[in-house]
Amino acid sequence: MIKKILVSQPKPTSDKSPYYTIADDFGVEFVFRPFIKVEGLSSKEFRQQKISITSFTAVVFTSRHAIDNFFKIAKEMRFEIPDTMKYFCVTETISLYIQKYVQYRKRKVFFGNSGKIDDLVPLMVKHKNEKYLIPLSDVHDDSVKKMLDAKGLTHSECVMYRTVCDRLTEEEIKNFDYDMCVFFSPSGVAAYKEAFPNGGKDSMKVATLGPSTAKAAHDAGLDVAVEAPTEKYPSMTSALRRFLIDQEED
Protein backbone atom coordinates (compact mmCIF):
# COMPACT_ATOMS: atom_id res chain seq x y z
CA MET A 1 0.00 0.00 0.00
CA ILE A 2 1.15 3.50 -0.82
CA LYS A 3 1.12 5.63 2.33
CA LYS A 4 4.09 7.99 2.09
CA ILE A 5 4.85 9.87 -1.14
CA LEU A 6 7.81 12.09 -1.92
CA VAL A 7 7.02 14.83 -4.45
CA SER A 8 10.19 16.26 -5.98
CA GLN A 9 8.84 19.80 -6.15
CA PRO A 10 8.61 22.71 -3.71
CA LYS A 11 5.79 22.63 -1.17
CA PRO A 12 2.58 24.19 -2.57
CA THR A 13 2.00 27.76 -1.47
CA SER A 14 -1.78 27.31 -1.29
CA ASP A 15 -3.66 25.23 1.26
CA LYS A 16 -6.09 24.41 -1.55
CA SER A 17 -3.52 22.35 -3.47
CA PRO A 18 -4.97 19.11 -4.93
CA TYR A 19 -2.19 17.23 -3.12
CA TYR A 20 -3.71 18.12 0.25
CA THR A 21 -7.15 17.00 -0.91
CA ILE A 22 -5.68 13.66 -1.98
CA ALA A 23 -3.92 13.33 1.39
CA ASP A 24 -7.24 13.82 3.21
CA ASP A 25 -9.22 11.52 0.90
CA PHE A 26 -6.80 8.59 0.93
CA GLY A 27 -4.90 8.97 4.20
CA VAL A 28 -1.53 9.35 2.49
CA GLU A 29 1.33 11.63 3.52
CA PHE A 30 3.02 13.91 0.99
CA VAL A 31 6.53 15.21 1.58
CA PHE A 32 7.78 17.92 -0.79
CA ARG A 33 11.50 17.93 -1.50
CA PRO A 34 12.92 19.19 -4.84
CA PHE A 35 15.75 17.12 -6.35
CA ILE A 36 16.82 19.93 -8.65
CA LYS A 37 17.23 23.69 -8.41
CA VAL A 38 17.59 26.47 -10.92
CA GLU A 39 20.63 28.75 -11.02
CA GLY A 40 20.82 31.86 -13.16
CA LEU A 41 23.78 32.53 -15.41
CA SER A 42 26.00 35.46 -14.55
CA SER A 43 26.10 38.40 -16.94
CA LYS A 44 29.65 37.33 -17.83
CA GLU A 45 28.46 33.86 -18.82
CA PHE A 46 25.57 35.33 -20.77
CA ARG A 47 27.87 37.64 -22.75
CA GLN A 48 29.79 34.61 -24.03
CA GLN A 49 26.72 33.73 -26.13
CA LYS A 50 27.15 37.02 -28.00
CA ILE A 51 23.45 37.87 -27.64
CA SER A 52 22.51 41.55 -27.41
CA ILE A 53 19.19 42.08 -25.63
CA THR A 54 18.96 45.52 -27.27
CA SER A 55 18.50 43.81 -30.65
CA PHE A 56 15.11 42.35 -29.74
CA THR A 57 11.62 43.81 -29.62
CA ALA A 58 9.82 40.88 -27.95
CA VAL A 59 10.61 38.16 -25.41
CA VAL A 60 9.05 34.70 -25.14
CA PHE A 61 8.72 33.34 -21.59
CA THR A 62 8.10 29.66 -20.90
CA SER A 63 8.49 29.85 -17.09
CA ARG A 64 8.88 32.16 -14.12
CA HIS A 65 12.55 31.19 -14.02
CA ALA A 66 12.92 32.65 -17.51
CA ILE A 67 11.30 35.91 -16.37
CA ASP A 68 13.41 36.21 -13.20
CA ASN A 69 16.67 35.60 -15.01
CA PHE A 70 15.86 37.79 -18.02
CA PHE A 71 15.28 40.81 -15.79
CA LYS A 72 18.23 39.91 -13.54
CA ILE A 73 20.65 39.81 -16.47
CA ALA A 74 19.16 42.95 -17.99
CA LYS A 75 19.75 44.75 -14.69
CA GLU A 76 23.31 43.42 -14.32
CA MET A 77 24.10 44.55 -17.87
CA ARG A 78 22.44 47.92 -17.17
CA PHE A 79 20.06 47.49 -20.05
CA GLU A 80 16.97 49.63 -19.60
CA ILE A 81 14.08 47.68 -21.07
CA PRO A 82 12.02 49.95 -23.34
CA ASP A 83 8.29 50.43 -22.80
CA THR A 84 7.75 49.12 -26.32
CA MET A 85 9.05 45.63 -25.45
CA LYS A 86 6.39 42.94 -25.96
CA TYR A 87 6.09 39.75 -23.93
CA PHE A 88 4.70 36.39 -25.08
CA CYS A 89 4.01 33.82 -22.33
CA VAL A 90 2.88 30.19 -22.47
CA THR A 91 0.20 30.75 -19.78
CA GLU A 92 -1.70 33.66 -18.26
CA THR A 93 -0.25 32.85 -14.83
CA ILE A 94 3.27 33.32 -16.17
CA SER A 95 2.25 36.53 -17.94
CA LEU A 96 0.90 38.00 -14.69
CA TYR A 97 4.25 37.29 -13.02
CA ILE A 98 5.81 39.96 -15.24
CA GLN A 99 4.15 42.53 -12.95
CA LYS A 100 6.96 41.81 -10.51
CA TYR A 101 9.29 43.73 -12.83
CA VAL A 102 7.32 46.01 -15.15
CA GLN A 103 3.91 47.64 -15.36
CA TYR A 104 1.46 45.16 -16.84
CA ARG A 105 -0.17 46.38 -20.03
CA LYS A 106 -2.41 44.07 -21.98
CA ARG A 107 -1.40 45.55 -25.30
CA LYS A 108 2.18 44.43 -24.63
CA VAL A 109 1.53 41.02 -23.04
CA PHE A 110 0.20 37.97 -24.88
CA PHE A 111 -0.36 34.47 -23.55
CA GLY A 112 -1.43 30.99 -24.56
CA ASN A 113 -3.63 28.51 -22.73
CA SER A 114 -1.97 25.14 -23.11
CA GLY A 115 1.36 25.83 -21.40
CA LYS A 116 3.14 24.89 -24.62
CA ILE A 117 4.94 27.24 -26.96
CA ASP A 118 3.03 25.68 -29.89
CA ASP A 119 -0.03 27.54 -28.64
CA LEU A 120 1.84 30.85 -28.81
CA VAL A 121 3.08 30.52 -32.38
CA PRO A 122 -0.17 31.75 -34.04
CA LEU A 123 0.00 34.86 -31.83
CA MET A 124 3.65 35.38 -32.71
CA VAL A 125 2.89 35.06 -36.41
CA LYS A 126 0.38 37.91 -36.06
CA HIS A 127 3.35 39.99 -34.89
CA LYS A 128 5.72 38.66 -37.52
CA ASN A 129 7.78 41.87 -37.68
CA GLU A 130 9.00 41.45 -34.09
CA LYS A 131 12.48 40.19 -33.27
CA TYR A 132 11.97 37.46 -30.67
CA LEU A 133 14.33 36.47 -27.86
CA ILE A 134 13.63 33.12 -26.18
CA PRO A 135 15.38 32.60 -22.81
CA LEU A 136 15.83 28.88 -22.08
CA SER A 137 17.38 26.46 -19.63
CA ASP A 138 20.70 24.80 -20.44
CA VAL A 139 18.67 21.61 -20.97
CA HIS A 140 16.69 22.07 -24.19
CA ASP A 141 16.50 20.81 -27.75
CA ASP A 142 16.05 22.50 -31.13
CA SER A 143 12.28 22.04 -31.29
CA VAL A 144 11.49 25.71 -30.57
CA LYS A 145 14.03 26.92 -33.13
CA LYS A 146 12.67 24.59 -35.82
CA MET A 147 9.08 25.61 -35.08
CA LEU A 148 9.79 29.33 -35.39
CA ASP A 149 12.06 28.86 -38.41
CA ALA A 150 9.18 27.10 -40.16
CA LYS A 151 7.01 30.19 -39.66
CA GLY A 152 9.72 32.54 -40.93
CA LEU A 153 9.95 34.43 -37.63
CA THR A 154 13.07 36.37 -36.65
CA HIS A 155 14.29 34.89 -33.37
CA SER A 156 17.23 33.81 -31.24
CA GLU A 157 17.35 31.32 -28.39
CA CYS A 158 19.67 31.89 -25.44
CA VAL A 159 20.52 30.14 -22.18
CA MET A 160 19.80 32.27 -19.12
CA TYR A 161 19.58 29.64 -16.39
CA ARG A 162 20.69 26.09 -15.65
CA THR A 163 19.25 23.13 -13.80
CA VAL A 164 21.50 21.52 -11.19
CA CYS A 165 21.06 18.70 -8.69
CA ASP A 166 19.91 19.63 -5.20
CA ARG A 167 21.66 16.69 -3.59
CA LEU A 168 20.12 14.64 -0.81
CA THR A 169 22.00 14.80 2.46
CA GLU A 170 23.47 11.68 4.07
CA GLU A 171 20.72 11.87 6.68
CA GLU A 172 18.00 12.06 3.99
CA ILE A 173 19.48 9.08 2.16
CA LYS A 174 19.69 7.07 5.37
CA ASN A 175 16.05 7.77 6.28
CA PHE A 176 14.59 7.47 2.77
CA ASP A 177 11.49 5.35 3.43
CA TYR A 178 8.95 6.47 0.81
CA ASP A 179 6.47 4.15 -0.89
CA MET A 180 6.37 6.35 -4.01
CA CYS A 181 8.45 9.10 -5.54
CA VAL A 182 7.06 11.62 -8.04
CA PHE A 183 9.40 12.96 -10.74
CA PHE A 184 8.81 15.92 -13.05
CA SER A 185 11.99 15.92 -15.16
CA PRO A 186 14.82 13.64 -16.30
CA SER A 187 17.10 15.80 -14.13
CA GLY A 188 15.12 14.76 -11.06
CA VAL A 189 15.53 11.10 -11.97
CA ALA A 190 19.27 11.66 -12.46
CA ALA A 191 19.50 13.28 -9.01
CA TYR A 192 17.74 10.28 -7.45
CA LYS A 193 20.09 7.85 -9.21
CA GLU A 194 23.07 9.86 -7.98
CA ALA A 195 21.84 9.40 -4.40
CA PHE A 196 20.88 5.75 -4.92
CA PRO A 197 23.18 4.26 -7.59
CA ASN A 198 21.92 0.77 -6.71
CA GLY A 199 18.29 1.68 -7.24
CA GLY A 200 17.22 2.44 -3.69
CA LYS A 201 14.17 0.85 -2.06
CA ASP A 202 13.04 -2.14 -4.15
CA SER A 203 9.34 -1.77 -3.39
CA MET A 204 9.17 1.95 -4.19
CA LYS A 205 6.80 2.95 -6.99
CA VAL A 206 7.44 5.91 -9.27
CA ALA A 207 5.15 8.49 -10.89
CA THR A 208 6.43 10.60 -13.80
CA LEU A 209 5.26 13.70 -15.65
CA GLY A 210 6.04 13.86 -19.36
CA PRO A 211 7.40 11.28 -21.80
CA SER A 212 11.07 12.23 -21.34
CA THR A 213 10.78 11.82 -17.56
CA ALA A 214 9.06 8.46 -17.98
CA LYS A 215 11.78 7.28 -20.34
CA ALA A 216 14.51 8.37 -17.91
CA ALA A 217 12.79 6.48 -15.08
CA HIS A 218 12.36 3.31 -17.15
CA ASP A 219 15.98 3.52 -18.33
CA ALA A 220 17.06 3.85 -14.70
CA GLY A 221 15.27 0.60 -13.88
CA LEU A 222 12.68 2.24 -11.60
CA ASP A 223 9.20 0.79 -11.07
CA VAL A 224 7.04 3.29 -12.98
CA ALA A 225 3.43 2.90 -11.82
CA VAL A 226 2.00 6.25 -12.96
CA GLU A 227 2.68 8.16 -16.16
CA ALA A 228 1.06 11.55 -16.72
CA PRO A 229 -0.31 13.35 -18.57
CA THR A 230 -2.85 11.25 -20.44
CA GLU A 231 -5.99 12.32 -22.29
CA LYS A 232 -8.10 11.15 -19.37
CA TYR A 233 -5.77 12.35 -16.61
CA PRO A 234 -4.01 15.54 -17.78
CA SER A 235 -2.32 16.42 -14.47
CA MET A 236 -0.09 14.59 -12.02
CA THR A 237 -2.62 14.94 -9.21
CA SER A 238 -5.49 13.52 -11.28
CA ALA A 239 -3.30 10.57 -12.33
CA LEU A 240 -2.23 9.96 -8.72
CA ARG A 241 -5.85 10.04 -7.57
CA ARG A 242 -6.78 7.39 -10.14
CA PHE A 243 -3.84 5.23 -9.06
CA LEU A 244 -4.84 5.43 -5.39
CA ILE A 245 -8.48 4.60 -6.20
CA ASP A 246 -7.32 1.52 -8.11
CA GLN A 247 -5.07 0.58 -5.18
CA GLU A 248 -8.02 0.68 -2.78
CA GLU A 249 -10.14 -1.46 -5.11
CA ASP A 250 -7.50 -4.20 -5.50
Side-chain angles (χ1 to χ4, degrees), residues 171-185:
E171 187 70 16
E172 286 176 316
I173 293 172
K174 180 182 176 182
N175 297 316
F176 200 92
D177 61 346
Y178 300 96
D179 302 311
M180 173 175 272
C181 193
V182 184
F183 295 107
F184 297 87
S185 71

Side-chain angles (χ1 to χ4, degrees), residues 62-156:
T62 57
S63 70
R64 293 184 180 185
H65 293 304
I67 294 173
D68 285 335
N69 287 288
F70 170 78
F71 286 101
K72 177 182 78 72
I73 285 177
K75 183 178 180 180
E76 288 178 4
M77 297 178 71
R78 298 180 181 177
F79 169 57
E80 189 171 339
I81 299 167
D83 289 338
T84 53
M85 184 71 82
K86 293 179 181 178
Y87 304 100
F88 292 76
C89 307
V90 293
T91 65
E92 183 178 12
T93 301
I94 291 173
S95 75
L96 292 171
Y97 189 69
I98 294 174
Q99 293 177 102
K100 182 178 178 180
Y101 298 98
V102 296
Q103 186 176 358
Y104 190 96
R105 294 176 182 169
K106 289 185 178 180
R107 62 185 174 82
K108 295 197 313 176
V109 182
F110 309 87
F111 56 86
N113 299 310
S114 68
K116 297 180 180 179
I117 199 166
D118 314 48
D119 195 30
L120 272 183
V121 174
L123 282 172
M124 294 169 69
V125 170
K126 290 181 180 179
H127 299 263
K128 62 182 179 181
N129 293 325
E130 303 296 341
K131 296 178 180 178
Y132 292 98
L133 179 67
I134 301 96
L136 297 169
S137 163
D138 61 330
V139 181
H140 67 273
D141 56 27
D142 291 333
S143 58
V144 172
K145 181 181 185 304
K146 291 176 180 177
M147 194 184 310
L148 302 187
D149 281 346
K151 297 297 183 180
L153 296 171
T154 302
H155 63 94
S156 290

Side-chain angles (χ1 to χ4, degrees), residues 208-250:
T208 62
L209 184 71
S212 59
T213 309
K215 182 180 185 303
H218 283 296
D219 290 347
L222 302 178
D223 186 0
V224 181
V226 177
E227 292 186 32
T230 64
E231 186 174 345
K232 200 169 183 179
Y233 304 105
S235 67
M236 175 54 73
T237 48
S238 62
L240 279 175
R241 176 174 287 277
R242 180 70 260 173
F243 173 78
L244 292 170
I245 290 172
D246 291 342
Q247 178 185 251
E248 286 188 342
E249 292 176 349
D250 286 344

